[in-house]
Amino acid sequence: MPSVVVTGVSTGIGHAIAKLLLDKGFRVFGSVRKPADAERLIHEFGANFTPLIFDVTDEAAVHAAAAEVRAALGGERLAGLINNAGIAVSGAVIDLSADDFRRQFEVNVIGPIVATQAFAPLLGTDDTLRGSPGRIVMMSSIAGKFGNPLMAAYSASKHALNGLSDGLRREMMLFGIDVVIVAPGAVKTPIWAKAEQEDVSRFANSPFYPALLKIRAMLPKMDESGLPPETIAQHVLDALTSPKPKAHDVITPGPLQFWLSTKLPPRWVDRIVARRLGLQPAK
């Protein structure tokens, strides 16, 4: 039975990934932050699921979980590590604090780095373990190819994750460990509800406040039109099991829109986005 570690499995994409992999015969070690979520998932997923309680920003807790997984594997290697946990911080660049950016990057960039370092020996850098080298799947976003206004912190974190993943993939060739980027567009997950509930009243005096409210009004529509998390889970399964997985697997409900956003001249895209959000200067 191949074993994998998935971070952030309490809801959304991570939950769908864990469920699909369990259905396909994997043993899943899934991270959650709350003991209550661990208990819930044990009852929901059954005997082949083991919860790991840690926050990806807590380096000591992540390494302790890696030691727990090593003991459970009994000398076998992991088949995969799926770095899925993430958050989205909204607000204009000049309105957000440095701590806001640190929180965004701690979860979305430093978290995958810490998890990768902790579990790399179990994936194949430790040559005393048995089995084939595992794979690392990085959960990125199409925001890693597009700088979204008022979501620049999130976009920057996903740009950073993409660069990190490409460099890591070339390094891990030494051990036969592949690194795959899965980059979804809008997905029907609780991340939109969490973003909608975020208190933005601190930006009430900002000139960007009207545009921020427009983006918040769009969130329910993004949820409705988003891809089901099960679709993303299937792509993760392919990344783990395909003989030759894509290095960058982009999945979006609006492929034409995404293609245009990356192919049109940047100034054209600037004007389209500015008109949509009311970011044009007053005449």
Side-chain angles (χ1 to χ4, degrees):
M1 179 181 294
S3 299
V4 297
V5 170
V6 186
T7 64
V9 300
S10 60
T11 59
I13 295 173
H15 183 277
I17 292 170
K19 185 176 186 304
L20 178 62
L21 293 180
L22 287 163
D23 289 344
K24 295 298 182 179
F26 284 79
R27 180 182 185 182
V28 175
F29 297 87
S31 84
V32 296
R33 291 183 298 159
K34 301 175 182 177
D37 286 330
E39 289 297 322
R40 170 175 59 85
L41 294 176
I42 288 172
H43 292 296
E44 179 181 351
F45 287 152
N48 289 333
F49 173 78
T50 301
L52 303 171
I53 301 177
F54 65 77
D55 188 308
V56 293
T57 65
D58 185 339
E59 187 171 359
V62 175
H63 280 272
E68 180 182 342
V69 173
R70 177 184 280 269
L73 293 179
E76 297 288 341
R77 285 178 173 163
L78 278 172
L81 166 66
I82 297 93
N83 282 308
N84 166 74
I87 61 170
V89 173
S90 59
V93 172
I94 63 174
D95 287 336
L96 292 172
S97 67
D99 282 342
D100 289 325
F101 277 92
R102 290 188 184 99
R103 181 166 65 94
Q104 180 69 88
F105 274 72
E106 281 287 338
V107 176
N108 288 15
V109 183
I110 305 302
I113 291 172
V114 169
T116 298
Q117 291 175 342
F119 290 101
L122 298 178
L123 290 164
T125 66
D126 183 346
D127 61 9
T128 68
L129 301 179
R130 301 183 300 275
S132 300
R135 293 179 180 176
I136 300 169
V137 179
M138 297 291 202
M139 189 58 62
S140 185
S141 165
I142 62 170
K145 293 286 187 180
F146 185 82
N148 292 304
L150 305 179
M151 294 292 291
Y154 178 75
S155 293
S157 74
K158 294 304 184 180
H159 275 74
L161 186 67
N162 287 349
L164 169 73
S165 301
D166 284 340
L168 178 66
R169 184 175 59 256
R170 288 152 192 160
E171 292 172 357
M172 290 294 100
M173 290 174 69
L174 179 66
F175 302 101
I177 299 171
D178 198 8
V179 180
V180 176
I181 297 169
V182 173
V187 181
K188 296 178 182 178
T189 76
I191 194 171
W192 303 117
K194 291 176 183 176
E196 193 177 8
Q197 293 165 7
E198 186 179 354
D199 183 12
V200 295
S201 60
R202 61 183 173 135
F203 303 127
N205 295 323
S206 168
F208 295 102
Y209 191 60
L212 187 58
L213 293 180
K214 285 186 178 181
I215 286 183
R216 286 169 65 84
M218 295 175 186
L219 293 179
K221 295 179 182 178
M222 294 175 74
D223 189 25
E224 292 171 10
S225 63
L227 295 163
E230 291 76 15
T231 298
I232 314 306
Q234 183 60 55
H235 282 257
V236 171
L237 175 64
D238 292 343
L240 289 174
T241 60
S242 173
K244 294 183 178 180
K246 296 178 181 178
H248 292 203
D249 187 7
V250 178
I251 318 115
T252 171
L256 178 59
Q257 182 182 2
F258 173 70
W259 184 85
L260 288 172
S261 71
T262 58
K263 299 301 181 184
L264 287 175
R267 298 293 188 186
W268 290 20
V269 179
D270 291 349
R271 288 192 288 270
I272 293 169
V273 173
R275 281 197 297 270
R276 188 178 184 190
L277 295 179
L279 291 172
Q280 298 164 304
K283 296 181 180 178

